[in-house]
Amino acid sequence: MKESVQIALSYVRSHAEQLGIDPAALKGHFHVHVPAGAVPKDGPSAGITMTTALASLLSDRAVKSTVGMTGEITLQGRVLPIGGLKQKVLAAHRAGLKEVILPKRNEGDLEDVPEQVRDEIAFHPVETIDQVLAIALEPTEDRELEVA
């Protein structure tokens, strides 16, 4: 989790202008608290989620409430595959989410998801964090994020 947050912050810092973030907002330190709770959090699967959360906070753009996501992110903004996609999609469905962003390389794993669930969720296979942010963040009134 710590590495996911560090990569997310590095990505957001290096793309601040593109994301509509005032560079002054990136000065200083950040504290990201992920409480233990009842949900296990392990590995890099939260990379795109952490990046989206930071981009949302710093650009003052809300994340769409109907969207869930999973995927590892690299420092270059590539979205890498994750494990346990079926369980994550089922959890998103139970939570009432209508869209799920997932790594393009996990698209084949959707065959393991029950057809009824696949019919009720729109899936967005992505390769880059730019694609994630364009889908997940509410648009601003004056512009939308460009998809690279």
Side-chain angles (χ1 to χ4, degrees):
M1 290 294 286
K2 183 176 180 179
E3 184 179 1
S4 291
V5 172
Q6 290 171 335
I7 291 172
L9 186 55
S10 292
Y11 182 85
V12 169
R13 278 189 169 130
S14 65
H15 293 84
E17 186 176 323
Q18 173 191 349
L19 297 170
I21 296 170
D22 178 2
L26 292 164
K27 294 195 172 137
H29 296 281
F30 287 84
H31 175 81
V32 178
H33 179 68
V34 184
V39 179
K41 290 164 282 299
D42 184 39
S45 296
I48 67 172
T49 307
M50 295 292 184
T51 306
T52 301
L54 287 170
S56 169
L57 172 70
L58 295 167
S59 68
D60 200 28
R61 292 177 62 193
V63 178
K64 295 175 186 172
S65 63
T66 58
V67 177
M69 63 192 78
T70 185
E72 181 177 355
I73 183 177
T74 69
L75 286 170
Q76 295 78 31
R78 306 284 307 158
V79 177
L80 302 179
I82 48 82
L85 183 70
K86 177 182 177 183
Q87 292 79 8
K88 293 171 184 174
V89 168
L90 292 175
H93 183 258
R94 278 192 308 273
L97 299 179
K98 300 299 178 191
E99 300 176 75
V100 171
I101 301 169
L102 64 138
K104 176 101 171 132
R105 288 175 41 195
N106 281 109
E107 197 170 16
D109 297 338
L110 289 173
E111 292 177 11
D112 297 335
V113 176
E115 185 176 355
Q116 176 199 349
V117 173
R118 289 194 316 255
D119 290 344
E120 294 177 14
I121 293 179
F123 295 98
H124 302 283
V126 297
E127 295 178 306
T128 67
I129 192 66
D130 294 335
Q131 294 170 324
V132 172
L133 298 175
I135 295 164
L137 295 179
E138 295 285 358
T140 60
E141 292 186 24
D142 58 334
R143 71 175 180 90
E144 297 230 6
L145 279 180
E146 295 177 21
V147 177

